[in-house]
Amino acid sequence: MPAITADTLTLPRVAAPDPAAAARRPVLSVTTAPSDYEGEGFPVRRAFAGVPVSALDPFIHMDQMGEVEYAPGEPKGTPWHPHRGFETVTYIIDGIFDHQDSNGGGGTITNGDTQWMTAGAGLLHIEKPPEHLVVSGGLFHGVQLWVNLPRAHKFHPPRYQDIRGRQTALLASADGGTLLRVIAGELDGHAGPGVTFTPITMVHATVSPGARLELPWNPAFNALAYVLAGHGTVGDERRPVRKGQLAVFGQGGSLSLAADPSQPQAEPNLEVLLLGGQPIREPVVHYGPFVMNTRAEILQAMEDYQAGRLGVVPAERMPHTGGE
Ligand code: MN
């Protein structure tokens, strides 16, 4: 799992919070993501399945894509598709992914890069591995997170942020046993590069076998921990978690987790995506690629898409190499 790596001994340390000063968040639930296939066939885990919208707010949906080793000729992508009313955050850990949207955004993201797309009022989008990876095959592993937009920003013009892995803020835990990559928002005063309408914190933590991670966490945010790889425990209650499981934490000003001393051979560390955000607390109507406040707004989005008002596929478009 390359993402971005660094020697934790040389990085700024995040001091372990005193639970007396910043109450430790309890673990409310641990759920297992069901496996599914996206678009024309890349394997995904639906990370938030079975978790109430109120516990996820401001997050809507998350897929862990792969980890998969593609044979030559096998990689799949999505066809052109619309979005409205939210932001997609695509974080590539291994492999390469190309993006293009009808608003002029697009590019290639690889090992540790993030593509941040504010769909806002609406656009058309395609995401797929590049042609040379289709020819050669290879490893692919990433995450796509959907962050909701509040009513006031749902019709914001589309926006695109291309974040390179080296731009993430790199930190170490108090004991040096965990590498922390701050992709968006801030952790202990260290800001990552991603900018959102709704304040969030997104951190990829690599926890060494046997290491324990204790972090301050904004008390106004929710707190989710999704296990990308490895085995460990969450909370001071040390509830077991493994790859493909999501822990939802309750209220408090700090959280803890730990990596088991022994890890699977193919997954030497506990890899965790930590997510927190300011809840929007508005009605959520989610239908396919649209996330709005009311059913009428969903119907309007479908009508606007069919009428071409969410944009048109650019003339200089990325060739579509899926199975259609
Ligand atoms: Mn998309």
Side-chain angles (χ1 to χ4, degrees), residues 78-79 81-83 86 88 90 99-100 117 123-127 144 146 289:
T78 68
H81 56 276
H83 291 298
F86 63 104
T88 67
T90 310
H99 280 257
Q100 194 181 351
M117 186 182 75
L123 44 60
L124 304 186
H125 187 218
I126 188 170
E127 40 213 319
Q144 187 171 92
W146 292 12

Side-chain angles (χ1 to χ4, degrees), residues 67-88:
E67 174 175 20
V68 61
E69 181 78 40
Y70 282 116
E74 192 187 20
K76 303 284 178 59
T78 68
W80 283 91
H81 56 276
H83 291 298
R84 175 180 274 176
F86 63 104
E87 305 184 76
T88 67

Side-chain angles (χ1 to χ4, degrees), residues 203-207 213 224-229 234 241 257 270-274:
V203 176
H204 173 192
T206 298
V207 190
L213 177 62
L224 310 171
Y226 179 74
V227 181
L228 296 164
V234 285
V241 286
L257 54 89
L270 176 71
E271 303 282 351
V272 180
L273 201 64
L274 290 165

